């Protein structure tokens, strides 16, 4: 009862207090496992395909998918490019051994290099190459999901809100069990799920170019971003209230602007409305529309 | 006297009425086997909840032949189940029917249609306009569909009008997973159920569903709470379950004798206060 009262009290935004981000891991695990099982079987499918990078997000996703559908129904795909690290491969393999799912390695170097040889060569910007890699990986996951599998997404709430991902690349999926959890919360859940500590603790990276890490590229830490996003999005606090509570004004403004600018990535493409009834606007059917 | 009530904490298929009718028959048979005199299904149990434009596709009149199997099944135990009602003037309502001895005896149309957050009832449905208790195997019953129960005035009006049990068929999504407590929604619901039961001195049967619709998880946790605030029976969270609980029809009277809050309730004051504030004329009958 005491803990209940503590939690339902007023939550004060405080840049030095990350406790509002803490989750009930047992409950979250149960909800996400049921979500994957229910939404997969309702689609008439039984297998899950997960891109396993060796990082914490895909580790949590593949663990949950294994619990939901049985590890024998989970295919993990490790899709290295030539500069992908040996450590990532080792972590992906360690996960497969620990959790019992099938891990296949499908290198993407040949097709990416063949494409850029005719389309920009060495002058192609690294963001172009990175996006191409992310979309190539997703294309392989979708291919391997046929005929009875579902591609399970691995984008967390922090990435989705910041738009820190490739549209139709790593952001693409059929269902996403972890998209309502911030990076910090995923680390907590990962530890609860028994994901090895070196995977949970290592600096997050998309490995789209050599030496890339998320936090270097973003210019702030997940810990700081998550707390700001939590108060702004989950608790509906205005930026001015956060700044008054001691959060860094420039960082709050920057994060707010990243959320705004990337919103197009989180919604379906815009359709010009000319008919009497437009898909997605006033032709609104649930996706879980079942046959009678 | 003791009455046995069954709560069908089930997972309806979205938009698949025929399948759901079969599912109802199965659960009704289980309730019958368990010796229940009444079985209650969750909100929109025959259609699923997040229907969006499907609402118009699955709607039917309350006397539609499609619902005849429920009437048929109610010959030896009462059945309360949810459907989309198309009224005579073609409005769609979230409805809960009550079938007894082979016929439909009452329909409650959801009054409060949540249209905020993850809810969009008001876009697709028209509101009901009354809270009308009726007599049944379980006593004098008031039906509060999901959001209806969140409005304090709903159980109050039922209690004032003589209800001894409030049935609350719901489709309550589970959210709020912060550390140090229960599921957020569960905490709120349990607080409501117990508060209403104890302070209006009546039974509350919270009838929730489970399963997912478009990624939204219904959390279950159905419960029957007695007028003294005790939880008679409580179902598991997130899993299907036929919950069976005994209702002591004498307990309402005993609690009201001990704690005559309703006897002393000043409805006239409530009425004058509200009428005055809204500028409504109030004729005094002396």
């Amino acid at each position: 009862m005491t803990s209940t009262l503590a939690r339902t009290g007023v939550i004060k935004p405080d840049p030095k207090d990350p406790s509002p981000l803490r989750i009930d891991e047992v409950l979250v695990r149960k909800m996400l496992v049921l979500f994957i099982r229910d939404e997969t079987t309702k689609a008439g499918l039984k297998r899950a395909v997960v891109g396993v990078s060796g990082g914490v997000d895909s580790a949590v996703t593949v663990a949950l998918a294994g619990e939901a559908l049985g590890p024998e129904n989970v295919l993990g795909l490790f899709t290295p490019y030539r500069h992908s690290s040996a450590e990532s491969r080792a972590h992906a393999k360690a996960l497969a051994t620990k959790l019992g799912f099938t891990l296949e390695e499908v290198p993407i170097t040949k097709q990416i290099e063949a494409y850029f040889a005719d389309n920009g060569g060495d002058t192609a910007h690294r963001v172009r190459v990175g996006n191409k890699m992310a979309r190539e990986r997703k294309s392989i996951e979708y291919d391997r999901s046929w005929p009875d599998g579902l591609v399970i997404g691995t984008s967390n709430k922090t990435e989705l809100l910041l738009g820190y991902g490739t549209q139709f690349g790593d952001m693409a999926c059929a269902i996403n069990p972890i998209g309502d959890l911030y990076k910090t919360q995923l680390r907590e859940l990962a530890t609860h799920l028994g994901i090895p500590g070196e995977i949970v603790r290592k600096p997050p990276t998309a490995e789209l170019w050599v030496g890339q890490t998320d936090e270097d590229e973003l210019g702030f830490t997940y810990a700081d971003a998550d707390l700001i996003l939590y108060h702004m999005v989950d608790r509906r606090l205005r930026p001015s209230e956060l700044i008054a509570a001691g959060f860094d004004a420039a960082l709050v403004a920057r994060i707010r602007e990243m959320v705004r600018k990337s919103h197009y990535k989180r919604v379906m493409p815009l359709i010009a409305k000319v008919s009497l009834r437009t898909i997605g606007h006033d032709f609104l059917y649930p996706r879980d529309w079942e046959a009678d | 006297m003791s009455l046995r009530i069954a709560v069908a904490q089930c997972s309806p298929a979205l938009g698949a009425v025929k399948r759901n009718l079969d599912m109802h028959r199965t659960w009704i048979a289980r309730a019958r086997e368990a010796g229940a005199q009444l079985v209650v299904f969750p909100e929109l149990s025959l259609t699923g909840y997040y229907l969006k434009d499907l609402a118009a596709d699955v709607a039917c009149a309350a006397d539609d032949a499609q619902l005849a199997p429920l009437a048929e099944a109610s010959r030896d135990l009462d059945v309360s189940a949810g459907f989309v009602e198309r009224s005579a003037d073609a409005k769609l309502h979230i409805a809960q029917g009550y079938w007894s001895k082979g016929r439909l005896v009452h329909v409650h149309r959801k009054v409060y249609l949540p249209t905020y957050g993850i809810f969009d009832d008001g876009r697709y449905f028209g509101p009901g306009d009354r809270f009308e208790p009726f007599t049944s195997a379980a006593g004098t019953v008031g039906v509060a569909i999901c959001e209806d129960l969140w409005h304090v005035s709903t159980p109050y009006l039922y209690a004032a009008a003589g209800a001894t049990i409030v049935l609350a068929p719901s489709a309550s999504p589970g959210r709020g997973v912060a550390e140090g407590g229960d599921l957020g929604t569960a905490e709120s619901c349990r607080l409501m159920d117990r508060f209403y039961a104890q302070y209006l001195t009546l039974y509350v049967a919270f009838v929730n569903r489970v399963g997912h619709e478009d990624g939204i998880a219904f959390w279950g946790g159905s419960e029957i709470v007695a007028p003294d605030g005790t939880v008679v029976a409580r179902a598991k969270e997130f899993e299907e379950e036929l919950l069976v609980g005994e209702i002591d029809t004498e307990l309402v009277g005993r609690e009201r004798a001990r704690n005559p809050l309703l006897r002393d309730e000043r409805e006239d004051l409530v009425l004058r206060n509200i009428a005055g504030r809204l500028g409504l004329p109030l004729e005094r009958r002396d």
Side-chain angles (χ1 to χ4, degrees), chain A residues 161-230:
Chain A
L161 284 170
L162 296 175
Y164 191 60
T166 299
Q167 196 182 22
F168 311 121
D170 52 294
M171 291 177 95
C173 63
I175 59 170
N176 180 349
I178 63 164
D180 210 9
L181 293 170
Y182 293 105
K183 187 79 172 186
T184 308
Q185 298 172 323
L186 272 175
R187 286 184 177 134
E188 188 184 330
L189 181 61
T191 303
H192 169 72
L193 290 168
I195 305 297
E198 58 267 31
I199 294 179
V200 180
R201 284 189 303 269
K202 71 180 175 181
T205 169
E207 283 198 314
L208 296 178
W209 52 85
V210 178
Q212 180 193 26
T213 70
D214 295 5
E215 291 179 338
D216 277 354
E217 196 185 4
L218 289 165
F220 48 76
T221 65
Y222 277 113
D224 287 343
D226 286 351
L227 199 54
I228 289 173
L229 286 168
Y230 173 81

Side-chain angles (χ1 to χ4, degrees), chain A residues 119-158:
Chain A
N119 292 279
D122 291 342
T123 64
H125 193 279
R126 65 184 187 179
V127 171
R128 267 185 68 199
V129 181
N131 282 335
K132 181 76 181 149
M133 286 161 58
R135 294 189 179 115
E136 176 60 23
R137 288 181 166 131
K138 195 57 68 172
S139 153
I140 293 167
E141 289 168 31
Y142 270 94
D143 172 51
R144 296 302 305 275
S145 71
W146 190 86
D148 56 354
L150 217 51
V151 174
I152 314 285
T154 60
S155 295
N156 61 56
K157 191 170 186 173
T158 314

